[in-house]
Amino acid sequence: MKKCLLVLIFVFNSVFSQSELINTNQSVYKYLKYLQVAGEMTRYDDVILPLTNNDIIANLNSLSSSTEISRYFLSKFSLQKDTSGYIWENYELLKKNLFSDYETTPIVYKDSLFTFKINPILNFSNLSIFDKNQKSNGGFILYGGNIKLNYNNFTAFLEAYNGYIYGDNSAVLLDKRVKQSFTYNHTKIRYFDGTNGYLNYQNKYLNLFSGRNELKWGVSDLNPMIVGNGAQNFDFFKFELNYKNFKYSFLHGWLVQPKNTINIDSLIGAVYRKESKYIAINRIGYSPTDRIKLGVTQAVIYANRNIELAYLNPFLLWESAQRSLNDLDNSFLNFDVRCLVSNGLELYGSCTFDDLNFNLWGDGKWNTQNNRIAFQAGFNLTEPYIWENILLSFEYVQIRPFTFSHLEVGESLSYTNNGFPIGLKMDPNSISFSIQADYFIKKDIFFSLRYDNIRHGDNLYDNFGNLLFNHGGSYYLGTTSILASKNPHVLDGIRTTTNRLTIKTNIAISYNLALNLGIEYYNRNSDSFNERLINTILSFSYNNF
């Protein structure tokens, strides 16, 4: 029996031999989504990203027929072209490795059990802002490295980098890494830094993760509702269980809220403290058919105390649990659905309930503080309805007033991390329309065009920034304020409208080298101001997509 078990484990490990996570900004995810909507990969699921090499290869291998692009990605993320033993000892070999379509690593150790790799990372970025009066220009040079260790189903990953900044502050803040950098924004030096690292284990039915890494969670790629593209990376542990048509996902994360300054006395001076803040999320996904996917997600923000065992329990209704804990926390319940109506057309929707009072649904009482909801609805379109290798997406999003905030003033229980929204990159009391076209011009050239129209009902402030009336337009001002609207309607308040047109082009020069160009037209206006900007980003990177 023991010998049989050892054989099964060995075979199992041979199948799942690479559990390294692939960054969410890799264009392979767009192509997998395109194939799924086209009906060629109906079991593909991108609610939670990133995926591992194993997942990507398995999805591509499921295709009944291949194309130039699918073969390109399959070879790029598989191990069949492993470059162990390469030594960059002369110019010709260096050039061959730099411009290879397969992974090349300057430092590699590999034996029958382990694969150990050390890669440098480098990024040159130049950013500009043009308005009607002036031009702001800046950029940075980012340098660092990553270490990868693979052992059968297990992967350990560590990445660290520093960046030197030049030019104007307003321009370099267009980059998310600089904008969210404590080093640059608070110490005022011309450098920023960052790090990610994790341990990940995967087999056919189970995935275990612990560490810090990027995360996307939601049925929409345009505007993920649970964890979005603008969220700051945070530390978390996560596990997923897969069995036939069921999938269960659980996450517990450590968030950040602003530090407190306590003045002790004239001798000791100020002492800094940071209160704790956590997030817990779980989701049950079920696919009655390959073309219909359903999901229910719970999420809780809690703070200012130790970790709650209740929110570590995957077999518990957290909404009821938080009430039994004296209703101190901010809980959410989300429902999502996706339906591949026909090959080439997918409909989807998602709705998050922050607070809900059924007694206030009728008789014109819907618009109250107690009904705090956000929802989105959209569709994805591919061939045969449109041209080959194009994915077209359209989406409507509404966030009702006060949604994602909480009763008290501040961000300890708001749906934010370190001042940045965790999910949607929109303020409460907003409506948006988004349309995006993604086009694979060639296997290594990806083009994206996106338009957003966002309308927001802002709170009323005086010239000194003091609140005059709360229309539910902020993450940080809840419903308990005496200045808060008791019967808010969507878009009540100071109306602001934002129009944004974004063009992005990614050219994969090789596996390691990439060139990215982004141009954004941004127009934001209200009755009192009109702001028009053109932002450009040009970056050249090695192992830093």
Side-chain angles (χ1 to χ4, degrees):
M1 181 67 181
K2 290 183 179 180
K3 290 183 179 180
C4 180
L5 181 61
L6 287 173
V7 170
L8 287 175
I9 292 175
F10 176 78
V11 172
F12 201 67
N13 287 346
S14 299
V15 176
F16 292 89
S17 58
Q18 196 171 18
S19 54
E20 176 189 338
L21 296 167
I22 305 302
N23 291 343
T24 59
N25 53 5
Q26 290 272 9
S27 58
V28 66
Y29 291 111
K30 289 291 187 180
Y31 190 65
L32 293 176
K33 185 64 180 180
Y34 160 78
L35 293 174
Q36 182 250 315
V37 177
E40 299 182 36
M41 191 184 292
T42 55
R43 294 188 65 85
Y44 174 67
D45 191 348
D46 63 346
V47 168
I48 302 174
L49 296 179
L51 303 178
T52 66
N53 263 34
N54 292 331
D55 298 320
I56 291 173
I57 293 169
N59 278 290
L60 291 171
N61 280 329
S62 70
L63 293 173
S64 58
S65 61
S66 64
T67 64
E68 180 187 19
I69 301 176
S70 64
R71 290 192 297 271
Y72 166 74
F73 283 125
L74 186 60
S75 62
K76 180 175 181 177
F77 293 105
S78 68
L79 295 176
Q80 64 186 15
K81 296 289 185 179
D82 184 69
T83 58
S84 302
Y86 278 168
I87 301 174
W88 296 10
E89 57 188 8
N90 58 60
Y91 174 75
E92 290 301 323
L93 192 56
L94 175 63
K95 185 171 69 171
K96 177 182 177 181
N97 283 278
L98 281 177
F99 296 98
S100 171
D101 283 340
Y102 312 107
E103 181 181 11
T104 57
T105 305
I107 301 176
V108 179
Y109 171 79
K110 183 177 181 180
D111 59 24
S112 59
L113 293 178
F114 295 96
T115 301
F116 179 79
K117 302 178 181 180
I118 299 179
N119 276 299
I121 58 176
L122 192 64
N123 184 294
F124 298 92
S125 293
N126 189 80
L127 309 98
S128 299
I129 299 176
F130 300 86
D131 65 19
K132 59 183 179 180
N133 297 319
Q134 63 180 359
K135 171 187 175 183
S136 299
N137 186 74
F140 58 83
I141 301 172
L142 181 150
Y143 52 91
N146 59 53
I147 301 173
K148 306 173 187 177
L149 173 67
N150 285 292
Y151 170 69
N152 292 327
N153 306 54
F154 174 82
T155 293
F157 177 84
L158 169 64
E159 179 178 83
Y161 60 82
N162 277 287
Y164 169 73
I165 292 173
Y166 64 87
D168 296 324
N169 177 71
S170 57
V172 295
L173 290 178
L174 293 174
D175 189 274
K176 172 184 171 181
R177 291 164 294 190
V178 180
K179 184 177 181 180
Q180 296 180 350
S181 170
F182 178 86
T183 304
Y184 179 66
N185 292 289
H186 294 271
T187 63
K188 305 304 180 184
I189 61 176
R190 305 294 290 178
Y191 290 87
F192 67 99
D193 60 350
T195 185
N196 287 311
Y198 59 80
L199 302 175
N200 194 57
Y201 173 86
Q202 182 185 43
N203 63 34
K204 185 177 180 181
Y205 302 106
L206 176 67
N207 190 192
L208 301 174
F209 173 96
S210 178
R212 174 181 298 188
N213 197 53
E214 61 179 355
L215 179 69
K216 173 259 176 185
W217 191 317
V219 295
S220 165
D221 183 62
L222 292 177
N223 301 291
M225 186 172 286
I226 308 302
V227 181
N229 302 321
Q232 180 172 322
N233 291 358
F234 56 90
D235 303 298
F236 61 94
F237 65 81
K238 177 171 71 77
F239 71 84
E240 294 181 330
L241 300 173
N242 296 277
Y243 184 70
K244 294 185 177 180
N245 295 337
F246 287 91
K247 183 175 183 177
Y248 176 80
S249 305
F250 172 89
L251 176 149
H252 188 279
W254 282 253
L255 305 180
V256 178
Q257 57 178 316
K259 63 183 180 181
N260 297 323
T261 302
I262 304 173
N263 292 306
I264 305 299
D265 54 42
S266 58
L267 295 177
I268 298 176
V271 176
Y272 300 103
R273 295 285 186 270
K274 181 179 73 69
E275 298 294 341
S276 58
K277 182 174 181 176
Y278 310 97
I279 185 171
I281 313 172
N282 69 7
R283 179 180 185 271
I284 299 175
Y286 173 62
S287 301
T289 72
D290 287 350
R291 293 177 175 267
I292 299 177
K293 298 179 175 68
L294 310 173
V296 180
T297 300
Q298 296 183 103
V300 176
I301 296 284
Y302 67 104
N304 305 328
R305 64 185 192 273
N306 294 325
I307 295 174
E308 284 286 359
L309 182 59
Y311 302 140
L312 298 179
N313 185 349
F315 305 105
L316 200 65
L317 185 62
W318 290 344
E319 173 70 19
S320 296
Q322 68 100 11
R323 296 188 187 282
S324 70
L325 296 170
N326 293 329
D327 202 14
L328 295 173
D329 310 318
N330 197 3
S331 61
F332 307 86
L333 188 62
N334 176 276
F335 297 90
D336 63 76
V337 59
R338 290 164 291 165
C339 179
L340 190 61
V341 178
S342 63
N343 290 351
L345 175 61
E346 180 188 50
L347 304 180
Y348 65 87
S350 175
C351 185
T352 293
F353 297 96
D354 184 355
D355 198 9
L356 193 61
N357 191 322
F358 291 104
N359 294 326
L360 301 175
W361 275 36
D363 301 326
K365 298 178 181 179
W366 167 257
N367 292 295
T368 68
Q369 298 175 347
N370 299 90
N371 288 318
R372 303 197 294 275
I373 297 172
F375 65 89
Q376 59 191 169
F379 65 85
N380 295 306
L381 200 67
T382 63
E383 59 174 320
Y385 296 100
I386 56 176
W387 298 276
E388 186 180 8
N389 295 332
I390 294 179
L391 174 65
L392 182 66
S393 304
F394 176 86
E395 184 170 288
Y396 171 86
V397 178
Q398 182 179 128
I399 311 178
R400 285 190 49 78
F402 298 104
T403 307
F404 299 124
S405 66
H406 202 248
L407 301 178
E408 68 276 3
V409 174
E411 64 176 280
S412 63
L413 292 177
S414 67
Y415 203 67
T416 60
N417 179 31
N418 205 18
F420 298 95
I422 295 174
L424 297 166
K425 293 173 63 176
M426 298 163 49
D427 290 313
N429 196 16
S430 295
I431 291 176
S432 77
F433 294 89
S434 302
I435 184 169
Q436 180 166 309
D438 298 313
Y439 177 36
F440 283 89
I441 300 174
K442 293 177 63 178
K443 62 182 177 63
D444 49 4
I445 301 178
F446 175 71
F447 175 83
S448 179
L449 176 66
R450 173 169 176 166
Y451 170 73
D452 296 278
N453 173 269
I454 304 172
R455 290 172 292 161
H456 171 55
D458 203 358
N459 299 330
L460 180 62
Y461 301 89
D462 64 19
N463 294 332
F464 300 98
N466 299 310
L467 179 68
L468 298 179
F469 196 78
N470 183 3
H471 291 281
S474 170
Y475 281 94
Y476 311 116
L477 296 172
T479 59
T480 55
S481 168
I482 60 173
L483 301 174
S485 173
K486 304 301 179 185
N487 299 291
H489 291 73
V490 177
L491 299 184
D492 277 353
I494 308 302
R495 181 75 61 87
T496 62
T497 301
T498 301
N499 290 288
R500 183 186 295 114
L501 180 66
T502 307
I503 301 172
K504 294 181 179 179
T505 302
N506 172 263
I507 302 174
I509 302 171
S510 68
Y511 182 96
N512 301 96
L513 297 173
L515 181 67
N516 292 280
L517 173 65
I519 302 174
E520 178 187 73
Y521 170 77
Y522 177 88
N523 175 221
R524 182 171 178 263
N525 63 78
S526 70
D527 293 337
S528 58
F529 67 88
N530 189 349
E531 180 184 29
R532 293 183 180 180
L533 302 171
I534 296 177
N535 306 322
T536 66
I537 300 175
L538 176 64
S539 70
F540 177 77
S541 60
Y542 177 85
N543 279 336
N544 186 245
F545 297 100

